[in-house]
Amino acid sequence: MSATLEIAIFLSMNGNAKEAIHFYKQHFHAEELLLVTYQDMAKRDSSIRLTDENKDYITHSVLSIGKTKVMIAEDTMDTSEEYRVGNNTSLCIQSADLEEIEQFYRSLVSDERVKIIVPLSRNVFSKAYGIIKDPFGIQIQLMFDERLQ
């Protein structure tokens, strides 16, 4: 195991991310480490479709509550599913060790019970990012994050 490995809780808020962030800041004294809107993402990724309704929605945020990181966004991990309590929570396993993330992914997808939601690949924010659903219904994001070094 690398020294940079961490697991964060990821919450999808169905359009209420800003309100949730405010709530956690107010009640848990959460520190906002990162906040990215759809408008911010559209500057980096031309495939993002902006509307007046979604431009200020949160595509990704990171809060620190004590020693725990909580990530909050608007959408569920599997956008083909309708939002409901149960599919709005996932684990985000991240490491600054690219080989470690790739090994976890290979190991997970070798199990025929695992559903691939987003294949592990490069995107605008990571050299390796993917999403799977484990046999127990838990959605797991895997992400290389060099900032953890």
Side-chain angles (χ1 to χ4, degrees):
M1 250 355 109
S2 73
T4 65
L5 182 67
E6 72 176 26
I7 298 176
I9 301 159
F10 191 97
L11 305 173
S12 300
M13 292 296 177
N14 197 32
N16 295 311
K18 280 186 181 180
E19 183 180 349
I21 291 167
H22 175 74
F23 179 88
Y24 295 131
K25 283 179 165 182
Q26 179 182 355
H27 296 289
F28 297 124
H29 307 287
E31 179 185 351
E32 185 178 299
L33 303 178
L34 177 72
L35 188 123
V36 181
T37 65
Y38 277 78
Q39 195 164 15
D40 297 331
M41 276 297 285
K43 293 173 186 172
R44 297 168 51 183
D45 182 351
S46 60
S47 71
I48 303 289
R49 296 186 61 211
L50 283 181
T51 66
D52 284 339
E53 183 180 283
N54 77 3
K55 69 180 180 183
D56 294 323
Y57 273 11
I58 308 301
T59 185
H60 187 61
S61 68
V62 180
L63 303 179
S64 175
I65 301 174
K67 294 181 181 183
T68 302
K69 287 185 182 168
V70 176
M71 299 173 175
I72 297 176
E74 307 294 353
D75 298 321
T76 57
M77 292 297 94
D78 186 347
T79 55
S80 68
E81 293 182 338
E82 185 177 326
Y83 175 92
R84 66 182 184 290
V85 173
N87 72 352
N88 65 326
T89 305
S90 65
L91 298 178
C92 184
I93 299 174
Q94 48 192 7
S95 175
D97 183 339
L98 181 60
E99 288 181 28
E100 184 171 49
I101 292 300
E102 291 170 337
Q103 187 278 324
F104 286 154
Y105 182 80
R106 283 190 305 272
S107 177
L108 285 161
V109 300
S110 71
D111 187 316
E112 63 187 32
R113 300 171 300 162
V114 168
K115 176 187 175 192
I116 298 171
I117 297 171
V118 175
L120 190 71
S121 61
R122 181 186 226 17
N123 64 24
V124 297
F125 58 84
S126 178
K127 290 180 183 175
Y129 176 78
I131 308 169
I132 61 96
K133 185 183 285 188
D134 76 11
F136 315 102
I138 305 300
Q139 295 175 9
I140 300 172
Q141 302 172 68
L142 298 162
M143 185 173 87
F144 167 75
D145 189 341
E146 58 196 9
R147 297 172 298 175
L148 296 174
Q149 293 183 9

